[in-house]
Amino acid sequence: MTRAEIERELELLPKGSIGFKRINRKDYTYHRWYENGKRKEKYVSPDAVEKLRIDLRKRKELENLLKEMQLSEKTPSYSPYPSYEFHSAVTISNAL
């Protein structure tokens, strides 16, 4: 899977998480996400909860894959540690 394909698929998948509220002794499921710095939430019917859970899990996996790809692109092919090897020409004589 290429980076462009992953980014396209991420645009289609929902962001956020699943939250719960208890109202009048009944539990309700909500999809929560942030938009423009504000938390948004939308009620999710019991039939749609599993699909949302799968989509959110898939998004997380793709985000992790994209992060790994970006890290591997930044990894230098050489050692990050400096080499302490050096060569010099030393002349030895009795005059010194």
Side-chain angles (χ1 to χ4, degrees):
M1 194 172 235
T2 67
R3 185 176 177 172
E5 290 172 339
I6 293 172
E7 289 173 348
R8 261 195 308 271
E9 194 160 344
L10 283 173
E11 289 177 13
L12 301 175
L13 292 170
K15 294 179 182 180
S17 62
I18 295 175
F20 302 95
K21 283 186 181 180
R22 182 171 288 224
I23 301 171
N24 294 330
R25 297 184 189 149
K26 288 187 177 181
D27 291 329
Y28 295 93
T29 308
Y30 287 84
H31 173 208
R32 293 179 177 163
W33 71 96
Y34 282 89
E35 200 173 287
N36 299 325
K38 294 189 177 191
R39 188 174 93 170
K40 304 277 185 164
E41 63 182 24
K42 182 178 178 184
Y43 172 75
V44 180
S45 68
D47 300 335
V49 171
E50 192 57 35
K51 181 178 178 350
L52 178 62
R53 185 174 279 127
I54 290 168
D55 287 347
L56 291 173
R57 190 176 303 131
K58 186 172 183 181
R59 179 180 184 84
K60 191 70 168 171
E61 290 170 1
L62 289 174
E63 286 174 341
N64 288 336
L65 180 61
L66 185 61
K67 186 183 281 188
E68 288 175 14
M69 289 174 78
Q70 290 171 343
L71 286 175
S72 68
E73 290 172 0
K74 291 182 181 180
T75 304
S77 59
Y78 59 89
S79 173
Y81 302 105
S83 173
Y84 293 108
E85 291 182 31
F86 62 93
H87 302 282
S88 67
V90 178
T91 306
I92 300 176
S93 71
N94 292 333
L96 293 174

